[in-house]
Amino acid sequence: MSEAEIASAKRLARELGMTVSDLLRVLLQLPAEAVRGGGSLVVVDRTTAARLSREMTRWGHHYNQAVHALNAIAYYLRSNDMDAPEVMEELARAERTLAGMQPGIESLRKEVSALSGSVIAALGR
């Protein structure tokens, strides 16, 4: 590499908050067709992957709470232990939980959709 190319690599790495070694590792993961076509690259490090996993787990807990409420309603209705006001209260609680999830779900869908057209490279740190 020429001195100018080395300086360019160092500058790019610094701008991206990476080491030159990490930059080269990421670049080596690029498929040839992505380089030719000028596609975008998404780099995911372990910290970011762990944060994504925690967020998905959090949404799973919310979903489970809503399903649990619906199952409780069904159970009590089958055993005739609930009256109409109680059913309506439980349904409203489940509806609020699901409605509260909707903006986050839509945001995740948009983000994943945007990423799906990109080449994804992983950093081992």
Side-chain angles (χ1 to χ4, degrees):
M1 291 177 64
S2 70
E3 291 298 322
E5 289 169 329
I6 292 171
S8 179
K10 287 180 179 179
R11 186 173 44 257
L12 179 58
R14 188 174 49 254
E15 288 172 10
L16 296 173
M18 305 169 80
T19 65
V20 173
S21 295
D22 284 342
L23 175 65
L24 290 175
R25 283 185 192 95
V26 167
L27 293 173
L28 288 171
Q29 294 179 54
L30 286 174
E33 62 273 5
V35 174
R36 280 188 218 102
S40 60
L41 170 68
V42 176
V43 178
V44 180
D45 63 325
R46 288 179 195 235
T47 302
T48 302
R51 287 175 36 206
L52 289 170
S53 178
R54 280 192 303 275
E55 187 66 18
M56 294 304 295
T57 300
R58 189 170 80 87
W59 288 110
H61 288 298
H62 287 301
Y63 177 79
N64 285 341
Q65 288 175 344
V67 170
H68 177 73
L70 293 173
N71 285 335
I73 292 167
Y75 171 79
Y76 289 116
L77 283 174
R78 281 192 297 273
S79 64
N80 293 322
D81 288 342
M82 285 182 91
D83 56 16
E86 289 173 318
V87 170
M88 296 309 291
E89 182 181 327
E90 287 298 316
L91 284 173
R93 185 166 63 96
E95 183 179 24
R96 284 190 305 274
T97 300
L98 291 170
M101 292 173 58
Q102 203 57 40
I105 290 169
E106 289 305 315
S107 175
L108 285 173
R109 280 186 187 146
K110 286 179 186 175
E111 293 295 325
V112 169
S113 178
L115 289 176
S116 67
S118 303
V119 174
I120 298 179
L123 282 178
R125 348 167 153 201

